[in-house]
Amino acid sequence: MLRNNFINNLLNLKDVFVKNIVNGDDFVEFHVETKKKSHVCPSCGSTTSKVHDYRTQKIKDVPIQNKKT
């Protein structure tokens, strides 16, 4: 847990959980998850915290140590 907090503070990441870091020869990948929040169901209007589906999304950022992120 301490490692995760350090990485979040170092990279200024808020409201995410760092799952994995892949450090390749010419790239760095950060695998993160957002924290689960309650939402309003569009059909019935009730509040729920159930997850309908999951998806993976790639986001490019500025290089770190001359490596693509």
Side-chain angles (χ1 to χ4, degrees):
M1 188 63 149
L2 180 61
R3 178 177 172 251
N4 188 41
N5 286 338
F6 176 74
I7 292 168
N8 285 7
N9 291 338
L10 179 68
L11 299 175
N12 198 23
L13 299 173
K14 293 181 173 56
D15 299 327
V16 296
F17 175 69
V18 179
K19 298 281 289 184
N20 191 17
I21 299 173
V22 179
N23 196 355
D25 291 335
D26 60 345
F27 68 91
V28 179
E29 287 182 0
F30 298 93
H31 298 250
V32 299
E33 281 185 6
T34 56
K35 296 177 182 175
K36 198 191 298 189
K37 297 186 274 185
S38 296
H39 295 281
V40 176
C41 175
S43 298
C44 66
S46 64
T47 303
T48 182
S49 62
K50 294 186 179 184
V51 177
H52 181 263
D53 65 351
Y54 294 93
R55 67 182 177 138
T56 301
Q57 183 173 356
K58 287 187 178 186
I59 301 170
K60 293 182 182 179
D61 202 358
V62 296
I64 297 176
Q65 297 179 344
N66 295 325
K67 295 182 179 185
K68 295 179 185 178
T69 57

